[in-house]
Amino acid sequence: MPNTYNELFSRRQREFLRTFIQLTVALIVVAACFFYVGLFDLQRLAEGVPSIFGLLGEMFPPDFSNFSDWLAPLWDTLAMSVAGTALAVIFSVLLALLAARNTAPHPLVYQAARSLLNGLRSIPELIMGIIFVAAVGFGALPGVLALGLHSVGMVGKFFAESIEHVDTAPVEATRAAGANSLQVIFHGILPQVLPQMADVCIYRWEYNFRASTVMGMVGAGGIGFELMGSLRIMQYREVSAILLVILVMVTLVDGLSAVLRKKFK
């Protein structure tokens, strides 16, 4: 009994020491990053405080005199987020079936699909927005294409992970009933992952609405284009008004997405 207690105590000590070393290394890395980016430069931070308060003073009170001109860009932003998310879901479902081990027809197809998802995920939507603005011109279309393709990388990955973790019992039962591969997907796999897919889609729509406000800054339409225009001419009161409008819209979208998530649970 004493030996067992000693062994247990020694094991706990080793686990504690290992955890302590890992946390220490992590803190050292974080502290080094803080130092590298200048977060420990207190003099520089202190010198920036008056400028921040001065800028905030110029932003109040908000100027809503051009609110009627922002309604169409707001609609563009909302439409971009919905269309971009829908585009992403369509392509993500197809790619996820090829990027999941249990549904991919061949290991090479699996690796190719995973590489494509990684590639789409690695390019920021802002860079895609610049590329599509150069390709198809200004407006909402390049924003939709950028949001949609970037979202495919993330949504497709989540879909593929959900498909790989399905319960095998319904799948085997469907196969035992004589179903072909397509029928197995529709009757044995998709019914299990649809709730997770719906949740991911709603979350991505929230994200895309926020991202679509940034898309306007590179000429892809939406309220971000109005925000960038006000910043360029240093109309800070108008900037604060646009930011408040964006905040209200984001809050409404978050509330609607919460309601939709409850419906799909």
Side-chain angles (χ1 to χ4, degrees):
M1 189 69 177
N3 290 336
T4 304
Y5 175 78
N6 290 334
E7 290 175 4
L8 180 61
F9 183 73
S10 299
R11 192 183 309 119
R12 293 290 186 184
Q13 278 188 319
R14 288 194 298 270
E15 290 176 358
F16 175 80
L17 182 61
R18 183 168 57 251
T19 304
F20 177 77
I21 293 173
Q22 291 172 347
L23 287 175
T24 303
V25 171
L27 288 174
I28 291 172
V29 171
V30 171
C33 292
F34 277 12
F35 178 80
Y36 180 78
V37 300
L39 281 176
F40 290 145
D41 191 349
L42 298 180
Q43 181 180 353
R44 185 179 178 185
L45 291 173
E47 290 173 354
V49 171
S51 300
I52 293 173
F53 280 105
L55 182 60
L56 290 175
E58 294 180 31
M59 295 176 71
F60 289 94
D63 181 9
F64 290 94
S65 58
N66 293 323
F67 178 75
S68 59
D69 297 332
W70 304 336
L71 295 178
L74 277 172
W75 169 250
D76 289 344
T77 300
L78 182 61
M80 280 166 50
S81 65
V82 173
T85 305
L87 186 69
V89 170
I90 293 170
F91 286 103
S92 294
V93 172
L94 299 175
L95 278 173
L97 292 171
L98 300 177
R101 285 189 175 88
N102 53 339
T103 55
H106 192 275
L108 288 177
V109 175
Y110 165 80
Q111 292 296 338
R114 283 282 177 168
S115 299
L116 179 58
L117 291 177
N118 291 337
L120 292 173
R121 200 164 57 251
S122 65
I123 304 174
E125 64 266 17
L126 196 62
I127 303 300
M128 286 190 176
I130 295 172
I131 294 171
F132 283 118
V133 164
V136 302
F138 296 101
L141 179 59
V144 171
L145 294 174
L147 290 174
L149 286 181
H150 182 265
S151 296
V152 167
M154 187 61 69
V155 176
K157 179 180 184 296
F158 281 123
F159 284 4
E161 297 291 338
S162 298
I163 291 171
E164 285 186 346
H165 291 89
V166 296
D167 185 4
T168 57
V171 178
E172 296 299 329
T174 308
R175 285 201 182 101
N180 56 36
S181 299
L182 193 61
Q183 290 172 329
V184 168
I185 291 172
F186 275 101
H187 299 287
I189 295 176
L190 287 182
Q192 296 188 59
V193 298
L194 281 178
Q196 295 97 313
M197 285 183 170
D199 194 53
V200 170
C201 291
I202 294 169
Y203 169 77
R204 195 64 194 185
W205 174 53
E206 291 180 35
Y207 174 86
N208 281 342
F209 181 81
R210 296 182 181 89
S212 60
T213 62
V214 182
M215 286 288 100
M217 295 187 176
V218 296
I223 193 64
F225 189 78
E226 300 294 325
L227 179 63
M228 195 63 187
S230 298
L231 280 170
R232 282 174 178 164
I233 60 176
M234 292 184 290
Q235 294 289 336
Y236 295 122
R237 291 176 58 196
E238 198 168 271
V239 168
S240 65
I242 294 174
L243 289 175
L244 287 173
V245 170
I246 293 173
L247 175 62
V248 170
M249 286 296 296
V250 168
T251 303
L252 291 174
V253 167
D254 286 348
L256 179 59
S257 65
V259 172
L260 291 175
R261 265 194 289 268
K262 288 180 182 178
K263 294 286 186 182
F264 286 106
K265 281 185 178 179

